[in-house]
Amino acid sequence: MSKFRMHHPKSAVERMNLPRDIGGRGVVDVAAQHHRQVDSLRAYFYSKEQASPLHAAVCKADCGLTPLNLKDRSFNPQSGVKSDQERIEEWKSKAMHGKHVNCLWQPFVDLHLSNRWLCAGELFAETEGFMCAIQDGVVATRAYKKLIMKERVENDQCRMCGSALETLDHLISGCTVMAPVQYITRHNAVCKVIHQNLAYKHGLITGTCPVYRYEPQAVLDSSAYSMYWDRQVLTDRHTAHNKPDVLLVDKTGRSAYIIDVAIPHNSNIERKYVEKKVNYEPLAREIKEIWRLERVVVVPIILSATGIVPKSLTASLDVLGLSHSLVQTMQKYTILHTCSMLRGVLDGFSH
């Protein structure tokens, strides 16, 4: 797998044999399978020896002659086999590799949806391996080379902005030079998923297309709904945050939904959700008063840059009446853009 770039040599080996729905790679542990088969065959021979002289003779004669070792009744072929829980605990205990898995088991995270991209199998094996390397923190940034690999690095500052230590966290979501283009492109990909599906659901467009081909219109309008894409909302009183990603107005239901997307690093997921709620509450009050609506709801759409899905995301989709299957689509495009962005930085500026 390392030879064909499906597994980074420094990635966590503990996750290789874990099921994909809990963050593993789903590779069958051949040694464990062998031990389980030996244990099953031993149980079979012991169950037959009372009624079959042949099986009894075999049990008496096999003193280490086969892997079953039937004469030794105390022999336990599965004594060295690690359980999934033991592997998870070993993975969690690692200072660097364990950051991602410890985040997966936080109470606000949806474990199985966060690993949906691994189960879906929609990505190339090389992209999957690279994202696992990102999650394990073993991508060759300047800080990683200097602090972890102990290589001689003349300049450990970010090669893009030059104003901060070049860590993986910084490149994924903290670089000021990458924010206006790379981060916005990733952000807009997730916004387009929401915009297109809301527009189709409410009859504002007649069909759907792949996200990479979808170009949202600034304003979509019908007798029942209006939807705005990245438009500034004029209000009587000044509001600092008055340009949500998507604004959906239900004319018949006299309600509106302020939808704003954020793709932070894992450690900022909860903070970003609260931040979006607080920032857009003043705008919600202004819209409700000016447009004489009965209800205005702020709907944050939060998804981590490495694909971790908080439980708040499905709750937000429920508010909008959208399917939870959209999580997989948003997660896929987030991961693709994160991988592409890092490859561009590390390969394009490797000299």
Side-chain angles (χ1 to χ4, degrees), residues 311-326:
K311 293 175 181 176
S312 63
L313 180 54
T314 50
S316 295
L317 292 177
D318 288 338
V319 171
L320 298 173
L322 295 176
S323 170
H324 290 184
S325 63
L326 292 183

Side-chain angles (χ1 to χ4, degrees), residues 81-305:
V81 177
K82 293 180 182 178
S83 66
D84 287 348
Q85 189 58 43
E86 287 173 328
R87 288 194 174 100
I88 291 169
E89 293 304 320
E90 284 186 17
W91 188 12
K92 285 182 176 181
S93 68
K94 294 197 170 183
M96 185 169 62
H97 294 162
K99 288 181 181 179
H100 173 72
V101 66
N102 279 302
C103 185
L104 281 178
W105 258 264
Q106 292 295 315
F108 65 88
V109 172
D110 190 315
L111 175 65
H112 294 292
L113 278 179
S114 296
N115 295 306
R116 189 71 191 90
W117 68 279
L118 282 166
C119 301
E122 293 182 343
L123 304 180
F124 286 117
E126 183 180 347
T127 303
E128 180 184 304
F130 188 50
M131 177 46 67
C132 287
I134 293 170
Q135 291 176 344
D136 291 337
V138 295
V139 175
T141 62
R142 288 176 173 176
Y144 178 80
K145 289 180 178 179
K146 180 179 180 179
L147 302 175
I148 306 300
M149 301 305 294
K150 306 300 181 184
E151 296 180 8
R152 183 178 177 182
V153 177
E154 295 180 2
N155 181 11
D156 60 3
Q157 297 299 292
C158 174
R159 67 194 80 186
M160 299 297 290
C161 67
S163 61
L165 185 68
E166 189 185 90
T167 62
L168 191 56
D169 294 0
H170 173 77
L171 290 179
I172 284 176
S173 57
C175 181
T176 54
V177 172
M178 297 171 69
V181 180
Q182 288 94 333
Y183 296 170
I184 288 295
T185 302
R186 180 179 62 189
H187 167 275
N188 286 348
V190 174
C191 290
K192 287 177 182 180
V193 175
I194 298 296
H195 188 277
Q196 180 175 217
N197 281 274
L198 279 175
Y200 184 70
K201 173 182 171 65
H202 297 302
L204 296 170
I205 57 176
T206 55
T208 60
C209 64
V211 174
Y212 61 86
R213 281 168 40 194
Y214 181 66
E215 291 299 330
Q217 295 182 40
V219 180
L220 291 171
D221 193 47
S222 71
S223 59
Y225 292 92
S226 293
M227 189 156 64
Y228 304 91
W229 166 266
D230 199 27
R231 296 269 292 193
Q232 187 174 14
V233 181
L234 299 178
T235 55
D236 293 337
R237 287 180 286 271
H238 172 73
T239 53
H241 301 273
N242 62 355
K243 195 178 181 182
D245 294 321
V246 180
L247 176 60
L248 175 67
V249 181
D250 181 355
K251 299 175 184 178
T252 56
R254 302 188 59 76
S255 60
Y257 300 90
I258 297 172
I259 305 161
D260 207 69
V261 173
I263 306 177
H265 192 261
N266 301 347
S267 58
N268 292 333
I269 293 174
E270 284 187 299
R271 184 178 66 82
K272 274 293 179 185
Y273 181 85
V274 175
E275 185 180 289
K276 293 292 182 186
K277 280 280 192 181
V278 171
N279 287 347
Y280 282 101
E281 277 303 324
L283 179 62
R285 289 194 296 270
E286 287 291 306
I287 289 176
K288 185 177 180 180
E289 181 180 333
I290 295 170
W291 295 354
R292 298 179 182 178
L293 301 175
E294 295 179 359
R295 186 174 67 125
V296 180
V297 184
V298 179
V299 187
I301 301 293
I302 311 297
L303 177 69
S304 111

